[in-house]
Amino acid sequence: MATAPPGANFEGAPPAAPSPPGTDMTGMCFRDQLWLNTYPLDRNMIFDYFALSPFYDWTCNNEQLRMRSIHPLDISQLSKMTGIEYMLSEVMEPHLFVIRKQKRDSPEKVTPMLTYYVLDGSIYQAPQLCNVFAARIGRALYYIQKAFTTAASKLEKIGYVDAENEGATVDSKPVKETIDLKEVKRVDLILASLQRKLPPAPPPPPFPEGYTPPQTVEAEKGPEAQQAGEAQPPPIDPIIDQGPAKRMKF
């Protein structure tokens, strides 16, 4: 017996269209133990199991094939359609299944959007590679800044103790630093020549269609917190901080 999609009602009114899944759902996972105890988890049944999760987009081409009693992963049928579709890219039965969400524009042209994986019956969304790099770089910069702050505070204490031990009572006179304008112009000329020789930086690659980058901690706290100069906590790592064991289960 077919399962009614979310949002369907039986009071005569047309069923409400289910909302498409979010693009950043890396903080949650889905598992249906009752289904796993009833059906085998293999390449023939994996898509029916994935369709139960909140990651599934009911407007995809695979759902149209299901309504026509055609296997939803039939590539001969999917290649004739355009729009959003899911493909089974890697299989290690019965432990690992990798499902790729992509947009098909023609039989030969597809654009990858998101990737999901089913690990021992639990469904997860794989993090975007750009988010992983951004989180790792941000975390490294956070600890480097923290190390420099700690070292600077200790050096200030050492200098303060040395000044007390010496007992210097002579007023320190401000030392005027002389600036050589010729040297400044020479450095400016060198930098300008290097800038002319180097090609301009290429633009960053675009995000997948419909993808919204997650807001950073600084953007959520607003400009007032940024002007305060307080040390912000390291960014959340999609793999370390949001691994399979730390995600919300549904």
Side-chain angles (χ1 to χ4, degrees), residues 114-175:
L114 297 169
T115 303
Y116 307 90
Y117 60 97
V118 185
L119 181 62
D120 292 331
S122 297
I123 305 177
Y124 308 91
Q125 177 184 335
Q128 293 280 338
L129 190 60
C130 58
N131 291 344
V132 176
F133 284 150
R136 297 292 173 87
I137 294 174
R139 179 167 293 204
L141 291 176
Y142 168 78
Y143 287 111
I144 290 174
Q145 182 182 5
K146 188 176 180 181
F148 274 110
T149 304
T150 304
S153 62
K154 292 185 177 180
L155 289 175
E156 289 178 359
K157 293 179 181 178
I158 294 174
Y160 179 73
V161 172
D162 292 342
E164 283 188 348
N165 294 336
E166 292 177 0
T169 57
V170 181
D171 296 334
S172 60
K173 296 182 180 180
V175 179

Side-chain angles (χ1 to χ4, degrees), residues 131-146 215-218 220-221 230-238 240-242:
N131 291 344
V132 176
F133 284 150
R136 297 292 173 87
I137 294 174
R139 179 167 293 204
L141 291 176
Y142 168 78
Y143 287 111
I144 290 174
Q145 182 182 5
K146 188 176 180 181
Q215 292 185 353
T216 59
V217 178
E218 292 80 0
E220 294 177 356
K221 292 191 176 181
E230 298 178 357
Q232 304 292 342
I236 297 176
D237 192 294
I240 298 176
D241 301 325
Q242 292 183 339

Side-chain angles (χ1 to χ4, degrees), residues 3-102:
T3 304
N9 60 75
F10 303 95
E11 298 179 357
S19 58
T23 55
D24 188 11
M25 303 175 69
T26 54
M28 58 179 292
C29 73
F30 174 83
R31 184 181 181 89
D32 191 337
Q33 192 61 45
L34 181 60
W35 193 97
L36 295 173
N37 294 338
T38 307
Y39 302 100
L41 196 62
D42 54 21
R43 65 176 63 243
N44 294 321
M45 300 291 295
I46 185 60
F47 194 84
D48 292 334
Y49 180 57
F50 179 77
L52 301 175
S53 69
F55 305 108
Y56 184 63
D57 189 348
W58 288 85
T59 62
C60 64
N61 297 335
N62 309 82
E63 183 63 23
Q64 298 182 29
L65 296 181
R66 294 178 71 193
M67 296 174 63
R68 291 156 49 188
S69 299
I70 303 176
H71 196 280
L73 297 177
D74 190 348
I75 186 61
S76 63
Q77 297 292 330
L78 290 173
S79 60
K80 301 176 183 178
M81 308 171 71
T82 58
I84 304 300
E85 66 181 25
Y86 294 93
M87 289 295 297
L88 189 63
S89 59
E90 295 184 23
V91 177
M92 293 178 59
E93 293 181 347
H95 302 290
L96 178 64
F97 302 86
V98 180
I99 299 175
R100 183 175 67 248
K101 183 179 182 180
Q102 58 191 18

